[in-house]
Amino acid sequence: MTAQRVAVIGLGSMGSGMAQSLLRAGFAVTGCDVDPATVARFVAADGEGAATPAEAAKDAMVVVSVVVTAAQTETILFGAHGVAESLAKDAVFVSSATMAPEAARALAGSSQAFVKARGALEAMAATIYELGEAPGQGAAFKMINQLLAGVHIAVASEAMAFAARQGLDLKRVYEVITRSAGNSWCFENRMSHVLENDYTPRSAIEIFVKDLGIVEDMARAARFPVPMASTALQLYLMTAAAGMGRDDDSSVARLYAQIAGIDLTGSL
Amino acid sequence: MTAQRVAVIGLGSMGSGMAQSLLRAGFAVTGCDVDPATVARFVAADGEGAATPAEAAKDAMVVVSVVVTAAQTETILFGAHGVAESLAKDAVFVSSATMAPEAARALAGSSQAFVKARGALEAMAATIYELGEAPGQGAAFKMINQLLAGVHIAVASEAMAFAARQGLDLKRVYEVITRSAGNSWCFENRMSHVLENDYTPRSAIEIFVKDLGIVEDMARAARFPVPMASTALQLYLMTAAAGMGRDDDSSVARLYAQIAGIDLTGSL
């Protein structure tokens, strides 16, 4: 019996992790990325490589797109050498980009697609939520999550830098807060980067410039005020303006540190 | 052997819980509150009552003050019929109000006090942190926690109301977010109040008007910008201005709902 083939298009930090999970689960995986060196690394790690989305999709039953924006997703599908040129009629396309529900609706597939993708989804995810048949529901839930996460990282950065300004021991602050009512998943995850002084992008500032931008667009269209998301977006924009757009999103803490002339490494 | 006596001054939602914990741990507990009916309830629940802080402190080795502000704490200590009038020389005063580190320093006791209070603290707390000998350190840590919690409740409210505006099932939003990267302790705790449409104050809007006010005062004095805390404070002020200052702090969600004319009870 031949392993079912899955194509993963976009081998960034998320895409490469998902591709590795699929390999571990026994799928045959074809990887594709705009950067040939990234594809070569995936091939060296037991994957197969493809030069274009059309080539990657050729024999795949499931094509997983792990790019950043709705526009990139459209290009992968319908651009030159796109997935649409070669995708089998009974195959399924899984979009992982965070996008406005409206954009997701414009690309919508059938609800049977969920059934076909299930095996691959189970290989990549700890928990799978089916959020209803109406296209765009998943995107809407994701935007609520991004609103919260974007604000949580911004306030975690503000709180850590303010603690440093007050002369507190930041390791102790981390220890106390992560066991207190002020904790968030993002505080715990991102402030460890700050304590290690490591701003290698696991997820970049530009991602929240995009995602909170989508939140603002959606909210403005719905005539709904989002002052918390809006303030956080301004902080991501300031951090990008200060030259840290491609760095880890915990760099908001470095922005505060730069502005106030404080040290976040604990060597006060 | 007679049980050690602890006085608890201020029998609100926190103080009464702490007094009950002390009783369960075998301490003799004297309760005191500005509201005689509250004291009567405590006496009915196996406590002893006192009419003034001085009376409560008389035979106590540990006096725990569970009021809201630094000013109230000072009145309890040094006002008419205050604790200072009757407190034994070797007894210890534990202040639980959230206050600026400067105010805490002005009221500071000795570091040996921690040792004396330890038994009572262990009866009241799941985890005890000793944050250094310098007075005001505990208060500074608490303000960092309040900055985070205040923002988390505000953004949780914004996100839930925005989800309702998008037509999402709020029970499902709660289920998904509490297992996702957008979760916070406050989201999980406070949004259950919103889903139950129960705004009985566990902790009131006015508490965060005070606590984020202290954060702003401290930050302004230190010339440190806190845009996230500042935006959240404005939302608590708006909620108080709309007449909900004494309601549960999750009432920020009701403010958004009122503004946007949406229903948070799920009956869309």
Side-chain angles (χ1 to χ4, degrees):
Chain A
M1 197 180 131
T2 326
Q4 196 188 30
R5 179 163 299 278
V6 179
V8 178
I9 300 175
L11 296 171
S13 54
M14 274 181 62
S16 64
M18 289 157 78
Q20 297 295 339
S21 297
L22 288 162
L23 282 173
R24 272 196 302 275
F27 287 94
V29 185
T30 310
C32 177
D33 198 276
V34 284
D35 174 29
T38 301
V39 177
R41 267 197 303 280
F42 181 62
V43 170
D46 297 327
E48 282 167 65
T52 65
E55 191 188 323
K58 214 166 147 252
D59 300 308
M61 291 311 295
V62 179
V63 177
V64 187
S65 152
V66 200
V67 292
V68 175
T69 66
Q72 289 169 349
T73 308
E74 244 188 280
T75 301
I76 279 173
L77 270 170
F78 305 116
H81 311 292
V83 166
E85 290 180 13
S86 65
L87 192 68
K89 273 223 161 67
D90 56 344
V92 55
F93 182 84
V94 177
S95 160
S96 306
T98 300
M99 61 178 76
E102 218 173 309
R105 274 190 285 276
L107 294 169
S110 68
S111 55
Q112 294 104 289
F114 207 100
V115 178
K116 288 186 192 168
R118 185 139 210 132
L121 292 173
E122 278 173 354
M124 298 185 290
T127 315
I128 296 171
Y129 295 102
E130 286 196 58
L131 297 169
E133 307 248 316
Q137 289 286 99
F141 273 79
K142 182 70 189 290
M143 294 324 306
I144 299 299
N145 185 72
Q146 294 308 92
L147 190 171
L148 287 158
V151 167
H152 291 169
I153 294 168
V155 71
S157 298
E158 180 168 303
M160 279 296 257
F162 187 47
R165 181 70 186 77
Q166 301 287 319
L168 302 184
D169 176 339
L170 296 188
K171 283 197 183 64
R172 211 70 212 283
V173 170
Y174 184 83
E175 184 196 340
V176 172
I177 292 297
T178 52
R179 298 179 202 180
S180 300
N183 194 29
S184 68
W185 189 91
C186 287
F187 182 95
E188 193 157 350
N189 183 272
R190 298 308 207 276
M191 293 306 103
S192 68
H193 305 174
V194 172
L195 289 180
E196 288 156 14
N197 198 29
D198 177 6
Y199 297 93
T200 317
R202 272 69 98 195
S203 180
I205 288 287
E206 286 291 351
I207 297 289
F208 274 112
V209 169
K210 171 181 77 80
D211 288 358
L212 290 178
I214 295 173
V215 167
E216 278 212 347
D217 287 347
M218 287 168 65
R220 195 163 52 233
R223 296 293 181 270
F224 190 90
V226 285
M228 300 304 300
S230 177
T231 305
L233 174 55
Q234 294 303 315
L235 285 162
Y236 290 103
L237 285 169
M238 286 184 220
T239 311
M244 297 180 272
R246 289 170 172 276
D247 295 342
D248 194 67
D249 52 25
S250 59
S251 294
V252 177
R254 275 196 297 174
L255 176 79
Y256 279 98
Q258 286 182 8
I259 289 172
I262 51 170
D263 185 353
L264 295 170
T265 61
S267 51
L268 282 164
Chain B
M1 195 180 133
T2 327
Q4 199 188 26
R5 180 164 299 278
V6 179
V8 177
I9 300 174
L11 297 170
S13 53
M14 274 181 63
S16 64
M18 289 156 79
Q20 298 295 340
S21 297
L22 288 161
L23 282 173
R24 272 197 301 273
F27 288 94
V29 185
T30 310
C32 177
D33 197 276
V34 284
D35 174 29
T38 302
V39 177
R41 268 197 303 277
F42 181 63
V43 170
D46 296 326
E48 282 168 65
T52 66
E55 191 189 322
K58 213 164 148 251
D59 302 306
M61 292 311 294
V62 179
V63 177
V64 187
S65 150
V66 201
V67 292
V68 175
T69 67
Q72 289 169 348
T73 308
E74 244 187 278
T75 302
I76 280 174
L77 270 169
F78 306 115
H81 311 292
V83 166
E85 290 179 13
S86 64
L87 193 68
K89 273 223 163 66
D90 56 345
V92 55
F93 182 83
V94 177
S95 159
S96 307
T98 300
M99 60 177 76
E102 219 174 308
R105 275 190 286 276
L107 294 169
S110 68
S111 55
Q112 295 104 288
F114 208 100
V115 178
K116 288 187 192 166
R118 185 139 209 131
L121 293 174
E122 277 172 355
M124 298 185 289
T127 316
I128 295 171
Y129 296 102
E130 284 197 60
L131 297 169
E133 307 248 316
Q137 290 285 100
F141 273 79
K142 181 71 189 289
M143 294 323 306
I144 301 298
N145 185 73
Q146 295 308 91
L147 191 171
L148 287 158
V151 168
H152 291 169
I153 294 168
V155 69
S157 299
E158 179 168 304
M160 279 296 258
F162 187 45
R165 183 67 186 78
Q166 301 288 319
L168 302 184
D169 176 339
L170 296 188
K171 283 198 183 65
R172 212 70 211 282
V173 170
Y174 184 82
E175 183 196 340
V176 171
I177 291 297
T178 51
R179 300 179 200 181
S180 300
N183 195 29
S184 69
W185 189 91
C186 287
F187 182 95
E188 194 157 348
N189 183 272
R190 297 308 206 275
M191 293 305 104
S192 68
H193 306 174
V194 172
L195 289 181
E196 288 155 15
N197 197 29
D198 177 6
Y199 297 94
T200 317
R202 272 68 101 195
S203 180
I205 286 288
E206 285 291 351
I207 297 290
F208 274 113
V209 168
K210 172 181 76 80
D211 288 358
L212 291 179
I214 295 172
V215 168
E216 277 212 347
D217 287 346
M218 289 169 63
R220 196 164 50 232
R223 297 293 182 267
F224 190 91
V226 286
M228 299 303 300
S230 177
T231 306
L233 174 55
Q234 294 304 315
L235 285 162
Y236 290 103
L237 285 170
M238 285 184 223
T239 311
M244 297 180 271
R246 289 171 171 274
D247 295 342
D248 194 67
D249 52 24
S250 59
S251 294
V252 178
R254 274 196 299 174
L255 176 78
Y256 279 98
Q258 286 181 9
I259 290 171
I262 51 170
D263 185 355
L264 295 169
T265 60
S267 51
L268 284 163

